[in-house]
Amino acid sequence: MKPNSVAIVGASETTELGKVPTMSQVQLHADAALNAIADAGLELGDIDGIATGGHNAVEIAHYLGIVPEWLDGTSVGGCSFMLLVRHAAAAINEGLCTTVLITHGESGRSGLGRHGSSIFPSLFQQQFERPYGVTRPPTMFTIPVLRYMKQYALTEETLAMVAVVQREWAGLNPRASFRDPITVDDVLNSRMICYPFRLLMCCLVTDGGGALVLTRSDRARDLRRPPVYIRGTGESGETPLISQMDDFTSSAAFRVAGARAFSSAGICHDDVDHLMIYDAFAHLPIYGLEDLGFVGRGEAGPFIAEGHTRPGGSLPLNTNGGGLSYMHSGMYGMYALQEGVRQMRGEAPAQVEDAEISVVHGVGGMFGASGTIVMTNVA
Amino acid sequence: MPQGERELPRPTPETSHFWEGTRCGELRLQRCDACGTVYFPPRHFCPKCGSTHVSVFRASGRATLHSYVISHLPAPGFEPPYAIAVALLEEGPKMMCNIFDCEQTPEALVLDMPLEVCFETINDEITLPQFRPAREA
Ligand SMILES: [Zn+2]
């Protein structure tokens, strides 16, 4: 894809986040979609491409009254939306459609109108993992971490610092679910969920949604909002089984998606002003920083603990408070993208001054899939 | 919240030899006749080179404790806290398991400790491979 040929011209979350007992899942999609289309200064009739993850894209189109010319329903977990941005940009460049709406909605907390898992069930997982008492993500996503901790001497205290630092960012964000400062002791004294993971190292479970509108950059300049250009993209997938991850200290999907995004954008790490790394659990920013190449192997924990990613640090990371403190409906990727857009527009609650390049990195399943988007406000 | 019964494997044509093996106390893996790769989970071809010339063989049952968590969440058929572990088999592949004959504590569950396969008979059809600390020979 040619860098900056496609732009995000509309972006919005649902009007409410957190606990939304008045909306089922499809309405959360629609609420965000209508907000994003209005944000772009467009109308429903301008949309000719529909993409969503974790929900039938046809239902979204029908619910919105759109008969699209292009559909994508890639559902590989929470990073589906990064992949959909990539696919949408390719489709727009190919001329398959002109204006794509990507929607997310999930009644993660209230459970209204949900339909099972957002990822297709795995045959192997049914036979070779589920019989061993894996249930919800905290019992799976966390499994590789003791291996990492042994290999790189990562301590529980340092792991806890990830949650502490992200709470600092959340404290700057009025929409964050949890805003009160926490300490390492608070994290390590919180309820044990799945050793070595305690409650405050695990993401929230909330209701919400978000949507993006993308179109060609030459059209974008005539629209209401400053365009946020898609400068580079990458995606990959490794395995639906956490037990079959090749290296328990590094994600192959992260490495492939990240490297492709950086090379297609033509940027190096020093160019990155703002970074989002999908944090369903506290170890994910650690794996992400290393697999994206921002720091060396085993260095990410100390890097975070030393304050480089906190407000005022050299690499602002998860500036909305992340899945640990902002919100996490289940498929958090959309909210990471929304924060990337806010930062590029210069309107984030915790705005990084003069930020020109944002990297938004997502995970799907339990280190199963990955998508990375490089955004910029410079044409 | 998890409800109902513990989920049990539903064997498929690609995996039936594996589940037949566990029923008679054997841990069976597959080896590629073309490139020598030993792989798991089972399938009719080598995921490394694509060859369909593959053989089933009995694994040694020796492994090490590669990683684990101790879940405090409710799960049908389990009494929390219980460990969900990954055994690294001597032959190379990794396999999820629970750890038998061992306290379910970080002190007792030491990474890289030697394990040996054991078998948990669930019913006439399903016997699960499990692992326990290796006993001195
Ligand atoms: Zn082979």
Side-chain angles (χ1 to χ4, degrees):
Chain A
M1 189 191 104
K2 194 166 151 276
N4 299 357
S5 56
V6 170
I8 296 169
V9 296
S12 180
E13 295 171 350
T14 43
T15 308
E16 289 179 62
L17 292 178
K19 195 170 183 194
V20 190
T22 54
M23 292 188 196
S24 62
Q25 182 164 296
V26 70
Q27 180 60 35
L28 289 165
H29 279 263
D31 184 67
L34 295 172
N35 287 348
I37 292 168
D39 180 64
L42 294 171
E43 293 175 358
L44 272 171
D46 295 318
I47 303 298
D48 60 359
I50 293 278
T52 192
H55 204 106
N56 182 351
V58 175
E59 178 166 77
I60 301 305
H62 175 256
Y63 197 72
L64 291 170
I66 295 169
V67 180
E69 296 181 18
W70 178 84
L71 284 165
D72 192 330
T74 301
S75 291
V76 292
C79 68
S80 297
F81 309 100
M82 284 78 173
L83 277 71
L84 292 171
V85 166
R86 189 171 200 243
H87 301 177
I92 289 166
N93 272 326
E94 182 63 20
L96 304 182
C97 52
T98 63
T99 310
V100 171
L101 172 69
I102 304 176
T103 69
H104 160 70
E106 197 163 10
S107 185
R109 178 165 171 183
S110 303
L112 300 171
R114 284 193 96 182
H115 46 74
S117 169
S118 59
I119 311 179
F120 296 113
S122 155
L123 178 72
F124 279 158
Q125 194 189 43
Q126 197 286 320
Q127 293 188 54
F128 300 111
E129 287 193 343
R130 300 201 67 85
Y132 297 101
V134 300
T135 54
R136 289 179 292 161
T139 68
M140 291 181 273
F141 222 149
T142 51
I143 286 176
V145 177
L146 282 183
R147 171 54 49 188
Y148 181 104
M149 292 172 81
K150 177 168 180 179
Q151 185 151 328
Y152 294 117
L154 174 71
T155 63
E156 290 178 46
E157 286 76 13
T158 302
L159 190 59
M161 273 303 289
V162 176
V164 170
V165 169
Q166 292 201 192
R167 185 62 64 87
E168 292 178 12
W169 284 111
L172 302 173
N173 185 351
R175 254 164 86 90
S177 296
F178 291 125
R179 303 186 60 207
D180 294 337
I182 51 173
T183 65
V184 167
D185 279 349
D186 291 334
V187 179
L188 295 181
N189 290 326
S190 64
R191 184 160 58 90
M192 186 66 84
I193 299 296
C194 207
Y195 172 83
F197 280 76
R198 294 173 178 276
L199 183 67
L200 293 178
M201 298 172 176
C202 304
C203 65
L204 308 162
V205 183
T206 49
D207 305 326
L212 297 168
V213 180
L214 285 79
T215 194
R216 274 201 332 268
S217 293
D218 56 346
R219 288 188 69 221
R221 289 177 198 117
D222 302 328
L223 294 176
R224 188 170 156 261
R225 303 301 307 271
V228 175
Y229 301 100
I230 307 301
R231 178 153 170 175
T233 62
E235 69 185 91
S236 188
E238 184 182 357
T239 170
L241 285 81
I242 190 71
S243 65
Q244 301 306 312
M245 191 179 178
D246 182 54
D247 178 349
F248 275 22
T249 70
S250 170
S251 161
F254 279 18
R255 298 193 305 271
V256 171
R260 186 66 192 265
F262 275 73
S263 66
S264 63
I267 60 163
C268 61
H269 294 88
D270 283 345
D271 297 327
V272 177
D273 302 308
H274 170 251
L275 178 62
M276 298 295 292
I277 297 177
Y278 190 129
D279 59 320
F281 296 93
H283 60 302
L284 286 163
I286 293 175
Y287 281 65
L289 282 168
E290 294 178 11
D291 286 336
L292 293 175
F294 283 97
V295 296
R297 294 272 154 229
E299 294 174 6
F303 183 80
I304 291 171
E306 286 159 14
H308 297 291
T309 62
R310 70 165 29 135
S314 60
L315 184 59
L317 169 66
N318 292 343
T319 49
N320 59 355
L324 296 178
S325 286
Y326 177 58
M327 86 85 68
H328 194 295
S329 57
M331 300 176 77
Y332 168 79
M334 175 57 82
Y335 308 95
L337 289 163
Q338 295 285 337
E339 176 67 7
V341 171
R342 284 191 292 263
Q343 290 284 349
M344 291 298 94
R345 287 175 169 180
E347 61 185 27
Q351 181 63 40
V352 176
E353 264 186 67
D354 302 322
E356 293 185 345
I357 292 184
S358 173
V359 171
V360 184
H361 178 73
V363 65
M366 317 298 144
F367 285 121
S370 186
T372 314
I373 301 296
V374 180
M375 302 177 187
T376 182
N377 48 27
V378 181
Chain B
M1 285 294 122
Q3 288 167 347
E5 309 249 314
R6 177 178 180 180
E7 190 160 343
L8 296 178
R10 294 189 297 274
T12 50
E14 301 79 16
T15 64
S16 56
H17 69 271
F18 181 87
W19 297 112
E20 282 160 19
T22 57
R23 271 204 300 277
C24 45
E26 284 188 12
L27 184 64
R28 293 179 182 168
L29 294 173
Q30 284 167 301
R31 181 185 286 115
C32 174
D33 298 335
C35 77
T37 298
V38 176
Y39 64 89
F40 175 85
R43 67 206 83 166
H44 291 328
F45 61 94
C46 169
K48 182 101 178 245
C49 77
S51 171
T52 52
H53 297 283
V54 298
S55 306
V56 174
F57 70 100
R58 180 178 182 171
S60 71
R62 285 188 291 272
T64 52
L65 180 57
H66 193 59
S67 203
Y68 68 91
V69 292
I70 302 172
S71 178
H72 291 247
L73 298 174
F78 289 83
E79 202 150 311
Y82 63 96
I84 305 167
V86 173
L88 177 59
L89 306 186
E90 187 177 59
E91 293 84 358
K94 293 193 280 281
M95 197 174 280
M96 189 175 275
C97 60
N98 303 118
I99 304 296
F100 279 35
D101 303 337
C102 185
E103 280 199 56
Q104 307 289 289
T105 62
E107 293 71 30
L109 294 161
V110 179
L111 251 54
D112 298 313
M113 69 190 226
L115 302 173
E116 64 187 23
V117 74
C118 57
F119 294 94
E120 180 184 15
T121 302
I122 306 284
N123 57 35
D124 286 348
E125 191 199 9
I126 294 299
T127 294
L128 293 174
Q130 295 281 15
F131 284 82
R132 66 187 176 208
R135 291 161 188 183
E136 298 300 323

